[in-house]
Amino acid sequence: TRLPERQTEERLLGGARRYYAAPNEADIVAAPGTQALIQVIPRLRPVSRVSVFGPTYGEHAHCWRSAGHNVEERAYADGWPNQADVVVVVNPNNPDGHMVDQDSLLARAAELSAQGGWLIIDEAFGDMQPAASVARHAGVPSMIILRSFGKFFGLAGLRLGFALSDKEIGSHIRNALGPWSVAGPALEIGACALGDEVWIDDTRNRLFRDAQRLDALLEESGHAVVGGTSLYRLISTQGCELHETLAQQGIWTRAFADRKHLLRFGVPASDEDFNRLAAALSCEEMKAVS
């Protein structure tokens, strides 16, 4: 019944600072989902040369292009770009889980800062590997870290995300989002969840075990696991038949129009879901044999 209150937002931001182990000199901006940040940030720079490492989440390149920037998408095997003003790294990468080490990221951030550029690190799936996050170095000039709330906490519809950066960039992001950008319920629920250390530890352990269980199930069904994180697994398969077969049985996987040999599985949430998937994969195996 009330507009989101500043003290509630401050409680959320304090919880985020502790959860991400961000230093006091870093600015943290709460947003209505990471997607909102991905769309807003490209509007804060003049036309720039942008390199997006991938293949990865398609909205990064799309939003920079839509804002009028010159965008190239490059593979990690091509190395760091020499001429880019902005570099975007999804770490761990979606969907293959590829990781770039902290030293490389911090070195590149320093180089880009010296020439007025930005390094954007999307850690949307970083909750399972907090030691690998660069959030503890947030506040380094010209480095922007994006953190998603909904994925790990299972509350995608809450629409909450964070940008960790230096004070100047944080101020620009906050002004671009405008007042009351995060709804009051999201502020309250987010603060509660970020401070629930028991749930966080239990969930990390459970997801790690369940990801291993999913790997075993997929491999037993003849599908090679080629990457992922503890929140999703990536397999190599033949065409889109498996995706369609599972969809017909009410199980949704992520297919890729430009990489038809890949399929991403979310980690099942319960024994019942694992059993449903096992039965569906068994049916798919029988269909392949026949």
Side-chain angles (χ1 to χ4, degrees), residues 65-98:
R65 285 196 181 100
S66 296
H69 300 276
N70 302 311
V71 179
E72 68 153 357
E73 298 176 66
R74 62 191 292 118
Y76 286 99
D78 296 333
W80 291 100
N82 294 321
Q83 303 299 324
D85 304 305
V86 177
V87 178
V88 180
V89 178
V90 180
N91 205 49
N93 190 45
N94 175 18
D96 59 13
H98 178 83

Side-chain angles (χ1 to χ4, degrees), residues 237-251:
T237 186
Q238 298 295 323
C240 57
E241 291 82 3
L242 177 58
H243 172 72
E244 294 173 352
T245 299
L246 294 176
Q248 290 167 0
Q249 300 180 65
I251 298 174

Side-chain angles (χ1 to χ4, degrees), residues 182-244:
V182 179
L187 298 177
E188 294 281 4
I189 294 169
C192 179
L194 290 168
D196 194 341
E197 296 180 2
V198 173
W199 185 93
I200 290 166
D201 289 341
D202 288 348
T203 300
R204 281 188 181 133
N205 292 332
R206 176 180 61 80
L207 286 170
F208 179 77
R209 293 192 302 268
D210 285 351
Q212 291 183 312
R213 180 180 177 184
L214 178 57
D215 282 357
L217 176 58
L218 292 169
E219 289 169 355
E220 286 170 6
S221 302
H223 302 290
V225 178
V226 295
T229 71
S230 293
L231 289 166
Y232 58 85
R233 309 304 293 162
L234 186 71
I235 69 166
S236 179
T237 186
Q238 298 295 323
C240 57
E241 291 82 3
L242 177 58
H243 172 72
E244 294 173 352

